[in-house]
Amino acid sequence: MSELTERLQQQLIAGASRPLMQDENQHWYTGSELNLEENVWKNYWQNKGIGHNDIVLVGLTNSVTYSLAIQSLWEVGAIVQPINPETTETQLNELEAQYNYSAIILNSNIKDLDVLNKIFTIQPRLSTLQEPEVQIYLRNKHIHHPVEVPNDDELALIMHTSGTTGRPKRVGLTHHQLLKSAFNVIDSEELTAQDSTFILMPMFHINALVISNLATRLSHGQLLFRPKFSAHLFWKEVSSQMVTWVSLTPAIVSILLQRDEQPANNNLRFLRTASAPLLPSIHQEFNRRFDIPLIESYGMTEAAGQITQNPLERPLSKSVGKSFGIKIKILDSNQNKLAIGQTGEIALQGENIISHYLDSQPEAFDNGWLLTGDLGSLDDNGYLHITGRSKEMIIRGGENVNPLAVENCLIDLKFIREIAVIGTPDLIYGETVTAVIVPKKLSHDHRHQLALLNKLANEQLLPVERPTKYIFSTQLPKNATGKIQRTLLAHEVNQQQLKEA
């Protein structure tokens, strides 16, 4: 048995009489009830011949069932691949045709899918909890694989990267990598059995799955599952449920700032933000409004979650903090190590860092170091400062423009709800700086807004950084964690410009 699965079992046994998990209806389950449910799942897989190295696709909303189902699959030696429960039938068809899954678990409200009915047999819905049952599909003529207790170095999880800079890559994470990453979170956040957290971000992303779910379970804390973030319920439930910490995204922080609510009976030790850059102006506004530490961090799927986090007692503004259990170095374009304070590509090495992708990507590694594609620098005290993604940098006339710096300047204008700065093709300069803006109020006349944008840009930005084009929109393309998909946005803008040409 891997140390990960053994410790997850121990958590349920040790908390037999204690409420450990809460469902969306605020019903608590004790460790004894959860252990019984997890064994139901494990016996189910054994009876159906799902075992060693079987890959099971999981497309569920956040739930107690989700956490227990993946634990049961790991215990029989299977590999879990989480996907967005909103995945379309066409997307499911493409995944299945490429990877031939042994089983698929979906929400019970999913209607019959032609692609699945041809290849899989629908099984009776399964769950003994008060949560909605889930629908299971087993592959026809599946060769039964024996249950084989996994070791630490076997694959436990397959996830796709967000794909904001290109085609998503498959990341394979072992039991040990997941365990090591979870313990890094426990150490950095000083988690104990007295802590409790909401899981609001989607479980098919590494943040919720490892940083919230696994780290809390391995520290014997309490988990409160919610299908999604609710702006009007957040502070009420934080107060009523005595939650001690929550992992959020900058998009959620921005939404909270747009509302008037304040937490009552606040038991929060801190809020944690990750999955996308947090603009300094947003951070400053949050600190002004709320007496709650907002801790910046940095992570990625390839690191099984967390890479750095600001120390709780010594957070540093405009930094994503220090590494916990991971080696970091900054490289120039020739993969030479740069000195303290110099900006270059961030490279990683550690027990929770992958050494290869499941689909070969040798250019992403250098002598055992993962090349992240992110740009940043380390200061004298080991704090990491991120300046952007190397593939998102705008190159205008041979000069690099950091889109985050432009966004952070312009977001101060009160009429802006959201902003994304991208590079679009320019015949003379290669790329031009384009700002796509979602205003708080829709208008057909943007002359006043454009005047304010140009005035601020001229006052605070270098000439090369100043946008030469402003586009007003009703929304920005994002992934499930609220991260703006700049590559997709740039493609959409370019296609629209071609139509208008």
Side-chain angles (χ1 to χ4, degrees):
M1 182 177 294
S2 72
E3 186 178 353
L4 173 63
T5 54
E6 184 175 5
R7 285 180 177 270
L8 290 174
Q9 282 186 356
Q10 288 174 354
Q11 182 232 3
L12 301 183
I13 294 170
S17 60
R18 179 181 175 228
L20 291 181
M21 297 187 194
Q22 186 191 83
D23 65 21
E24 65 174 301
N25 296 317
Q26 299 187 12
H27 179 86
W28 281 101
Y29 299 95
T30 65
S32 179
E33 292 172 308
L34 296 168
N35 193 43
L36 177 63
E37 173 75 358
E38 197 272 333
N39 278 315
V40 168
W41 277 92
K42 185 164 57 176
N43 291 333
Y44 179 86
W45 300 127
Q46 291 173 334
N47 293 334
K48 297 297 183 180
I50 299 296
H52 186 245
N53 281 342
D54 279 316
I55 302 177
V56 178
L57 200 65
V58 179
L60 299 176
T61 51
N62 293 355
S63 62
V64 174
T65 296
Y66 203 137
S67 185
L68 299 179
I70 62 175
Q71 177 187 342
S72 70
L73 286 165
W74 288 339
E75 288 184 5
V76 299
I79 302 165
V80 174
Q81 182 174 337
I83 59 166
N84 189 332
E86 301 299 323
T87 297
T88 65
E89 184 171 2
T90 299
Q91 292 168 329
L92 272 174
N93 188 24
E94 291 173 353
L95 285 168
E96 160 51 32
Q98 192 168 5
Y99 302 118
N100 300 318
Y101 300 107
S102 300
I104 297 176
I105 311 174
L106 299 175
N107 290 323
S108 59
N109 60 357
I110 298 295
K111 295 181 180 179
D112 289 348
L113 302 174
D114 290 339
V115 58
L116 299 185
N117 292 335
K118 294 176 183 177
I119 305 171
F120 295 82
T121 300
I122 302 177
Q123 303 298 306
R125 294 174 181 174
L126 180 65
S127 184
T128 61
L129 303 179
Q130 295 185 32
E131 294 189 309
E133 295 175 329
V134 301
Q135 186 64 66
I136 300 173
Y137 296 78
L138 290 180
R139 190 175 197 83
N140 296 332
K141 300 179 181 179
H142 169 66
I143 299 174
H144 284 213
H145 290 158
V147 171
E148 188 171 313
V149 176
N151 62 48
D152 292 333
D153 295 324
E154 290 194 77
L155 273 187
L157 194 68
I158 295 175
M159 297 191 106
H160 282 90
T161 58
S162 61
T164 56
T165 58
R167 183 177 178 82
K169 302 185 266 306
R170 287 195 309 154
V171 176
L173 296 167
T174 67
H175 287 251
H176 178 71
Q177 287 168 331
L178 293 174
L179 180 77
K180 180 63 178 175
S181 180
F183 276 131
N184 288 344
V185 174
I186 291 170
D187 290 343
S188 63
E189 298 183 356
E190 302 172 12
L191 298 182
T192 71
Q194 306 308 311
D195 280 301
S196 61
T197 187
F198 280 124
I199 293 193
L200 303 174
M201 294 167 65
M203 287 273 284
F204 59 88
H205 274 262
I206 201 71
N207 191 311
L209 189 62
V210 175
I211 293 170
S212 297
N213 174 60
L214 287 184
T216 300
R217 292 195 57 185
L218 295 174
S219 60
H220 294 255
Q222 294 177 310
L223 284 171
L224 297 88
F225 290 88
R226 298 294 184 267
K228 60 183 179 180
F229 166 73
S230 170
H232 77 279
L233 289 178
F234 180 76
W235 290 124
K236 295 176 185 177
E237 290 201 323
V238 160
S239 300
S240 65
Q241 300 297 330
M242 302 300 285
V243 169
T244 63
W245 72 281
V246 190
S247 185
L248 303 174
T249 64
I252 290 177
V253 173
S254 295
I255 291 171
L256 292 175
L257 287 174
Q258 293 169 17
R259 302 178 65 87
D260 295 330
E261 293 98 331
Q262 290 278 345
N265 305 317
N266 177 25
N267 199 44
L268 284 170
R269 293 199 291 120
F270 64 92
L271 293 177
R272 178 188 189 279
T273 178
S275 300
L278 178 66
L279 295 178
S281 56
I282 298 295
H283 200 167
Q284 290 166 8
E285 177 64 11
F286 187 91
N287 289 340
R288 188 186 68 80
R289 286 268 306 276
F290 303 105
D291 185 25
I292 302 166
L294 181 60
I295 304 298
E296 287 190 73
S297 62
Y298 164 53
M300 60 194 306
T301 306
E302 290 88 337
Q306 180 173 286
I307 298 169
T308 64
Q309 180 177 291
N310 266 282
L312 299 182
E313 303 301 325
R314 299 183 307 279
L316 182 64
S317 177
K318 300 180 182 179
S319 166
V320 291
K322 295 184 174 184
S323 66
F324 287 80
I326 296 175
K327 295 179 182 177
I328 298 178
K329 65 179 180 179
I330 309 298
L331 303 176
D332 65 15
S333 57
N334 296 314
Q335 273 75 60
N336 296 314
K337 184 177 179 180
L338 293 172
I340 295 296
Q342 291 186 298
T343 298
E345 183 172 11
I346 300 167
L348 310 173
Q349 191 177 73
E351 292 183 53
N352 56 308
I353 309 296
I354 65 168
S355 58
H356 63 278
Y357 287 99
L358 295 182
D359 307 304
S360 182
Q361 301 276 342
E363 69 279 3
F365 301 89
D366 180 64
N367 293 320
W369 290 78
L370 171 68
L371 307 177
T372 65
D374 293 325
L375 300 177
S377 63
L378 288 166
D379 66 20
D380 291 330
N381 296 313
Y383 285 82
L384 180 65
H385 302 259
I386 294 180
T387 57
R389 279 199 62 87
S390 59
K391 294 182 181 180
E392 289 178 352
M393 294 295 283
I394 301 167
I395 303 176
R396 177 168 172 77
E399 294 189 65
N400 288 344
V401 176
N402 179 6
L404 297 181
V406 181
E407 291 171 9
N408 189 50
C409 168
L410 300 180
I411 194 68
D412 283 341
L413 292 171
K414 300 300 182 183
F415 70 84
I416 297 178
R417 182 182 299 278
E418 291 184 299
I419 182 172
V421 172
I422 57 174
T424 53
D426 185 277
L427 292 175
I428 298 175
Y429 295 102
E431 285 186 300
T432 188
V433 181
T434 299
V436 183
I437 293 165
V438 178
K440 293 178 180 177
K441 293 183 179 180
L442 295 178
S443 170
H444 296 293
D445 187 350
H446 297 293
R447 285 177 294 180
H448 178 63
Q449 295 169 336
L450 286 170
L452 292 174
L453 287 163
N454 285 318
K455 182 176 185 295
L456 183 58
N458 290 337
E459 289 174 352
Q460 298 190 18
L461 295 174
L462 296 172
V464 71
E465 295 176 321
R466 297 168 191 164
T468 56
K469 187 178 299 181
Y470 292 100
I471 298 173
F472 290 87
S473 179
T474 57
Q475 62 182 5
L476 300 174
K478 300 175 183 176
N479 66 13
T481 62
K483 187 176 182 179
I484 297 171
Q485 296 182 293
R486 296 173 189 275
T487 302
L488 178 58
L489 177 61
H491 175 74
E492 291 175 353
V493 170
N494 290 340
Q495 290 297 109
Q496 185 61 35
Q497 289 178 351
L498 287 174
K499 289 180 182 179
E500 295 172 355

